[in-house]
């Protein structure tokens, strides 16, 4: 245990019950108690986290790393305008982030980089005893999933997967309903990522790779070479919280099927013509990927990945139990004995009634934070957990279990839908780990 | 070929193009040209077909079979009131239906009996050279699926699976959109049977089996002993028509997963108390069964069976292609370039625009026929096909392929989700069989 972490821990203990809540966005805190927060990656996503951090009074921004000088300059500008002290900067090469992590003025780090960097940076952070928050998805391969768990266990350092959808207002209201047993015993779930990303995957309709812009520089390559659900956590994160995965329940196996792949080729041809050089490319990723997960408690979960075709956005949630169900598509809830027989209620009434304590308290403040407010809450959970140096709500085991859907779905698809067993990342401890206390108004 | 069938064929040829359409519900026809129609099973479902037949001027009801004397008496009463000639009656034992099939005054038969009788009766009908219409699902086991195909091929007699949902107004409008390429190349489908059947499966909330009433006498036993999708055709029938299964495309494999089974036990306990003898029963059928089918054309299809939990009815259709998608849940359609970017249209406008010729022509007349009108159309397709003695729209290969989902899903679930290959019931002919012409206004 290094001194840095213990220092945080001690100040946190002093503050418990007195300063934790007010320390947050609205409170006052003496300089030395502030969380020394660093950022690796300040592109679109990292900059959003940075902006939200600059609204807080309980953090200092001590270091920022990006290999893109423009992104770095933008970040410094924002920090300066917010009246924060100028941080150290890093980014002279791909591995300069390690110098950031070894800086003694860094307690915690938020990692918002291309997917292939997530695990190695998170692992390096934990090895440097820096409390790590990593954007989704946390890992790309099964080995990386184990890396996260093994490094956490070896170092004792915490990490959090920064899954913002776990903090969406409707999701937290439904989680509240789940915990209050409104749905009864849970049976079945649906979720997924159904988002037309074609204009994210291509610049000017046809370009991707190093000459393109934004995520098209790297994200598109995953669609080119991998046939599997490469982005499962926006869907599975909220469901995993509802059914206490790794805390009395666990994923046991999955099967996965991929449809044909035509969406990206169509898009290139439409925007660049049949003779465009990219129109000859064969894309491995099926346009709609369907994964069915079984849990040790006997629930089933359908996870969908649908990002290459024209369609309005939907995460497609369904939460179904012995008493009824919520479906986000159609915005509807049915609870036996409460709803009119065989008739859907408009979900709004239920979601309002069971609005989560966090949203009741901070909803108005959060609304300016991005993605409808949920970005405030996920950052808040990270900062509050890091300040206390305690396990975050979404930890290394969650990051590993959720992210492992990617390699398992690839493996299943490559083998004609053969079921794949999930590793037990808790090494059996899921049977004694207690459910996380989701229903509180602090973080 | 027996004379009966050839007689029908010849009269049909004479009438082609002149009398086929007007012969239907609204036309006049001389007595000898009428289809001699028989019924095996005149319980709830059979009686509905009988009532709709009695509205037609192109059929005589020549024979009725039911082992329940009350059902038989009700049927005779209806027939008499409609001014039809009194039919012969059968039902003195379980196999008296064979005497009906061997009666020379029977050209075609509608079979609406408990599931375990469907295949054997349909097979016997074809062996007796009687044009057979069978209620859904057509077969319970893989052997029965082959029985349907083998008997059809051996005898040359046709059979039709009477899947009424194929004729639902929204389904036919979307089929029309599919055939006019509105969705573009097809990629993904969802469908299923999501219907709270608890009050069908139990009389007085707790009773099933021989002392119960209606379908609770026999249907519930399938929930008790079978863990699989025992009722796939309301969902898969319409989708199979849209993607030309057995006609240029075919089902290749599936995986299936079952959730825990708690719904039926909860229902018994709620209605009969924990001490009720039926409260000790262990139900094999998972409450939500998810089957993912892959096709030779690279589409995926999710089929859901969800009949033991409280929920409003939905068949959960989605039809998704290169240009957009229809979702019945939420009643919405998105077509790129037509809909506002990233915004759903209310489906109604599209469904109205693409209303199927059959519904435009007969919708008003059909509306009184049951299940919102679709029962008229499925009966009409059967009668018109039988009158001409031609292959029906939904034939033995369809019946076999759709019904085979049941044994394959059972097998997959029993093996932890192992993929199961579909037999090719067409023996390779799917590659040269032409798509059925669905878009016409006759039947």
């Amino acid at each position: 245990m290094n001194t840095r972490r213990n220092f945080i821990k001690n100040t946190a203990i002093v503050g418990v019950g007195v300063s934790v809540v007010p320390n947050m966005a609205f409170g006052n805190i003496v300089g030395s108690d502030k969380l020394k927060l660093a950022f690796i990656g300040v592109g679109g996503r990292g900059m959003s986290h940075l902006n939200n951090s600059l609204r807080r009074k309980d953090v200092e921004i001590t270091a920022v790393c990006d290999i893109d000088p423009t992104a770095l300059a933008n970040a410094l500008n924002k920090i300066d305008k917010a009246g924060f002290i100028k941080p150290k900067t890093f980014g002279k090469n791909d591995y300069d982030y390690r110098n950031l992590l070894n800086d003694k003025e860094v307690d915690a780090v938020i990692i918002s980089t291309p997917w292939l960097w997530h695990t190695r940076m998170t692992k390096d952070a934990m090895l440097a005893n820096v409390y790590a928050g990593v954007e989704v998805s946390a890992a790309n391969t099964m080995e990386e999933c184990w890396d996260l768990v093994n490094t956490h266990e070896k170092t004792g350092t915490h990490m959090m997967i920064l899954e913002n959808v776990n903090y969406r207002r409707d999701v937290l209201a439904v989680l509240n309903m789940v915990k209050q047993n409104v749905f009864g015993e849970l049976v079945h779930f649906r979720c997924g990522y159904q988002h037309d990303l074609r204009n994210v995957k291509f610049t000017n309709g046809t370009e991707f790779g190093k000459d393109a812009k934004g995520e098209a520089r790297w994200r598109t390559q995953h669609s080119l070479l991998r046939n599997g659900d490469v982005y499962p956590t926006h869907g599975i994160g909220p469901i995993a919280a509802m059914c206490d995965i790794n805390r009395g329940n666990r994923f046991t196996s999955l099967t996965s099927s991929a449809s044909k792949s035509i969406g990206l080729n169509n898009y290139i041809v439409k925007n660049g013509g049949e003779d465009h050089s990219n129109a000859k490319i064969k894309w491995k990723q099926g346009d709609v990927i369907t994964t069915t997960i079984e849990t040790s408690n006997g629930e089933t979960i359908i996870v969908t990945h649908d990002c290459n075709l024209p369609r309005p956005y939907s995460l497609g949630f369904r939460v179904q139990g012995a008493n009824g169900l919520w479906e986000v598509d159609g915005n509807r809830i049915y609870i036996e004995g409460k709803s009119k027989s065989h008739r859907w209620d408009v979900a709004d009434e239920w979601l309002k009634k069971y609005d989560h304590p966090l949203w009741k308290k901070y909803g108005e403040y959060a609304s300016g934070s991005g993605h409808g407010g949920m970005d405030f809450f996920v950052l808040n959970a990270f900062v509050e957990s890091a300040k206390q140096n305690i396990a975050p709500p979404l930890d290394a085991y969650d990051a590993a279990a959720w992210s492992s859907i990617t390699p398992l779905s690839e493996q299943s698809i490559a083998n004609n839908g053969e079921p794949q067993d999930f590793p037990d990342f808790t090494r059996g401890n899921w049977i004694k780990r207690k459910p996380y206390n989701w229903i509180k108004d602090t973080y």
Side-chain angles (χ1 to χ4, degrees), chain A:
Chain A
M1 305 277 175
N2 81 5
T3 48
R4 183 164 30 152
R5 206 171 115 256
N6 289 338
F7 168 74
I8 306 172
K9 199 172 194 172
N10 292 337
T11 58
I13 287 165
V14 170
V16 163
V18 183
S19 62
V20 173
V21 179
N23 271 1
M24 220 201 48
F26 314 101
N28 294 307
I29 186 169
V30 289
S32 63
D33 281 348
K34 292 189 180 184
L35 183 73
K36 291 168 178 165
L37 184 59
F39 288 82
I40 303 177
V42 282
R45 189 68 191 131
M47 191 64 94
S48 172
H49 285 308
L50 176 61
N51 282 332
N52 290 328
S53 300
L54 292 171
R55 297 177 73 197
R56 302 184 65 101
K57 296 184 174 170
D58 56 354
V59 302
E60 315 173 52
I61 313 299
T62 53
V64 177
C65 175
D66 204 298
I67 55 170
D68 176 352
T70 310
L72 204 51
N74 286 343
L76 289 177
N77 187 36
K78 286 277 184 187
I79 292 164
D80 182 55
K81 278 193 177 161
F84 276 56
I85 295 164
K86 188 181 177 184
K88 294 183 191 170
T89 57
F90 300 84
K92 66 177 185 290
N93 62 47
D94 281 352
Y95 289 91
D96 203 18
Y97 75 87
R98 287 177 171 161
N99 297 317
L100 176 150
L101 292 173
N102 287 324
D103 191 289
K104 286 186 183 163
E105 294 300 309
V106 174
D107 298 330
V109 65
I110 288 176
I111 298 162
S112 311
T113 51
W115 298 342
L116 293 181
W117 289 95
H118 282 184
T119 301
R120 63 188 65 203
M121 287 172 168
T122 306
K123 184 179 165 183
D124 285 342
M126 288 190 279
L127 288 170
N129 228 331
V130 173
Y131 200 108
V134 64
E135 260 305 323
V136 300
S137 188
N140 302 277
T141 68
M142 192 57 78
E143 292 74 14
E144 286 195 333
C145 293
W146 275 115
D147 272 355
L148 294 174
V149 167
N150 290 338
T151 310
H152 163 65
E153 293 188 346
K154 173 179 159 187
T155 61
T157 311
H158 294 291
M159 67 153 287
M160 177 169 168
I161 178 167
L162 300 173
E163 180 45 69
N164 60 354
V165 182
N166 277 61
Y167 294 89
R168 209 169 83 172
R169 193 165 203 156
D170 58 348
V171 164
L172 279 178
V174 171
L175 177 60
N176 197 9
M177 291 175 73
V178 165
K179 297 303 177 188
Q180 294 194 41
N181 206 33
V182 176
F183 297 105
E185 186 175 347
L186 299 169
V187 175
H188 181 67
F189 304 90
R190 296 186 181 192
C191 62
Y193 193 61
Q194 302 177 128
H195 190 183
D196 177 0
L197 292 177
R198 294 172 303 160
N199 67 357
V200 170
K201 293 185 179 181
F202 299 100
T203 306
N204 299 324
T206 56
E207 301 308 321
F208 68 101
K210 63 182 194 307
D211 297 332
K213 287 177 187 160
E215 297 188 10
R217 287 174 294 175
W218 54 269
R219 185 175 191 147
T220 318
Q221 193 74 7
H222 293 268
S223 308
L224 178 62
L225 294 179
R226 309 179 72 189
N227 196 4
D229 185 339
V230 296
Y231 205 57
T233 72
H234 288 324
I236 199 64
I239 301 302
M242 291 177 198
C243 66
D244 295 322
I245 292 301
N246 297 325
R247 297 168 178 85
N249 195 9
R250 76 178 197 90
F251 301 141
T252 53
S253 70
L254 65 70
T255 60
S256 206
S257 295
S259 78
K260 66 178 78 175
S261 171
I262 61 172
L264 299 184
N265 179 260
N266 283 350
Y267 190 73
I268 291 167
V269 169
K270 186 178 160 193
N271 287 285
E274 284 183 14
D275 296 330
H276 191 283
S277 60
N278 284 347
K280 276 103 196 155
I281 291 173
K282 294 208 181 301
W283 300 87
K284 286 237 171 62
Q285 186 179 73
D287 291 335
V288 180
I289 291 171
T290 305
T291 301
T292 305
I293 297 175
E294 299 187 3
T295 71
S296 59
N297 282 353
E299 298 103 346
T300 51
I301 309 167
I302 306 178
V303 190
T304 304
H305 185 275
D306 171 3
C307 302
N308 300 339
L309 295 170
R311 60 157 301 139
Y313 179 91
S314 170
L315 299 189
F317 287 114
R318 183 201 288 192
V319 174
Q320 185 169 17
N323 301 342
L325 70 167
W326 169 55
E327 291 187 340
V328 76
D329 294 325
N331 186 38
R332 59 201 197 174
I333 285 175
Y334 178 81
I335 303 295
E336 188 176 35
K338 306 279 184 182
S339 309
K340 282 180 196 153
S341 186
H342 294 279
R343 291 274 178 182
W344 294 101
D345 295 328
V346 175
D348 299 24
E349 312 153 28
W350 287 96
L351 300 178
K352 193 174 173 188
K353 181 177 175 189
Y354 286 92
D355 197 24
H356 191 280
L358 277 171
W359 273 92
K360 276 188 189 160
K361 192 169 172 183
Y362 298 121
E364 200 176 339
Y365 175 81
S367 62
S369 72
H371 289 110
M374 59 191 180
D375 285 356
F376 161 77
F377 292 102
V378 70
L379 176 70
N380 184 52
F382 173 72
V383 170
E384 293 298 337
S385 302
K387 278 159 58 183
Q388 299 177 64
N389 196 30
I390 58 173
L394 311 173
D395 66 10
Y397 304 103
D398 298 320
W402 306 355
S403 302
S404 72
I405 292 168
T406 297
L408 292 174
S409 81
E410 285 182 286
Q411 191 71 10
S412 181
I413 289 166
N415 289 279
N416 192 35
E418 283 283 339
Q420 305 293 317
D421 288 342
F422 279 84
D424 177 1
F425 294 104
T426 72
R427 306 181 211 277
N429 279 322
W430 66 275
I431 67 168
K432 58 181 185 179
R433 296 181 87 220
K434 296 281 174 267
Y436 182 78
N437 175 20
W438 276 105
I439 312 304
K440 56 189 192 297
D441 71 355
T442 47
Y443 60 88

